[in-house]
Amino acid sequence: SESVSASESASASESVSASQSVSTSVSISESLSTSTSLSTSVSASASNSSSNSESEKPQGEVIITYIRENDGKEIKVQRQDTPKSDYNTPYDTTENDEQPKYIEFEGKKYERVPAGDYPVGKVDSEGHLETSDPIKGKVEKPVSKITYVYKEVKEEPAQPKGNVYVHYVDTEGNKIKESVTDEKDQPVDKDYDTVVDNRPQ
């Protein structure tokens, strides 16, 4: 009777011990799984935060326009001086032929205007419309627009010109000396005198 009791007691003790061991192992496994999940979540959150911060950095671009002084019509395709860039990026619209002296448009020639007041507004010595953004500076807003102003070049009509020839003949009209050119390609209405140098005695 004592032998049976001791055996049952030992068996029960071993069973309880084994059960406790399994339970502890499961608990540790669940704890590790939860910890890994939290770590991954925190890492992903930090990555997203960094990405959003970079994409929200303010940027802007610089555009140049070329207009006619009398009506503001654009006579040349807009030019992008600076593509989308971070704020405080320097720009200069006087370089790389971005400020041409002459422009051809619809068969007419236009010239950058000198400083003065025009129908489109006040223009400085660079031909730059003062109400537009500065011709040099730093990117500081989404779109900076610089405007240069031009006027049509009026071609002066060609002045008519003429020649003066001196012929030498006798009283009967016979040629007695080679003809001489007294004036050549001179403006009409200009005075001439053949007596001084082209009338031999």
Side-chain angles (χ1 to χ4, degrees):
S1 175
E2 290 178 359
S3 175
V4 171
S5 176
S7 175
E8 288 176 349
S9 175
S11 176
S13 175
E14 288 175 359
S15 175
V16 170
S17 176
S19 175
Q20 288 178 343
S21 175
V22 170
S23 175
T24 302
S25 175
V26 170
S27 176
I28 291 172
S29 176
E30 288 178 351
S31 176
L32 287 173
S33 176
T34 302
S35 175
T36 301
S37 176
L38 287 173
S39 175
T40 302
S41 176
V42 170
S43 176
S45 176
S47 176
N48 288 338
S49 175
S50 175
S51 176
N52 289 337
S53 176
E54 290 180 2
S55 65
E56 291 173 1
K57 197 170 184 179
Q59 292 187 321
E61 61 181 330
V62 179
I63 303 296
I64 308 172
T65 62
Y66 307 88
I67 66 172
R68 199 157 53 191
E69 52 87 21
N70 58 336
D71 58 4
K73 180 179 177 64
E74 290 192 20
I75 59 173
K76 182 177 172 65
V77 177
Q78 292 185 1
R79 184 164 178 172
Q80 185 181 56
D81 173 81
T82 306
K84 282 193 175 296
S85 304
D86 294 341
Y87 277 20
N88 291 321
T89 299
Y91 72 84
D92 184 349
T93 66
T94 65
E95 302 175 323
N96 305 319
D97 196 33
E98 293 178 330
Q99 187 191 30
K101 183 172 178 60
Y102 297 102
I103 290 176
E104 296 283 344
F105 177 69
E106 295 183 344
K108 296 180 180 179
K109 186 176 183 179
Y110 291 84
E111 180 180 18
R112 198 172 68 245
V113 300
D117 291 315
Y118 297 87
V120 294
K122 190 172 184 179
V123 176
D124 63 21
S125 60
E126 295 286 341
H128 159 248
L129 186 64
E130 292 189 354
T131 54
S132 67
D133 291 305
I135 60 177
K136 297 179 183 180
K138 292 183 178 181
V139 175
E140 55 186 17
K141 58 184 178 180
V143 179
S144 296
K145 185 176 286 188
I146 292 83
T147 300
Y148 289 111
V149 183
Y150 291 76
K151 66 178 178 180
E152 183 181 348
V153 176
K154 300 291 186 180
E155 298 288 348
E156 293 186 5
Q159 293 288 334
K161 296 180 179 181
N163 304 321
V164 178
Y165 301 104
V166 182
H167 303 291
Y168 303 93
V169 297
D170 61 19
T171 56
E172 296 179 357
N174 298 311
K175 181 178 178 181
I176 59 174
K177 186 179 185 304
E178 290 297 325
S179 298
V180 174
T181 301
D182 184 74
E183 299 281 357
K184 184 174 178 61
D185 294 332
Q186 296 301 310
V188 172
D189 293 333
K190 178 186 176 183
D191 294 334
Y192 68 88
D193 185 350
T194 65
V195 175
V196 176
D197 52 2
N198 286 311
R199 189 181 71 170
Q201 297 297 324

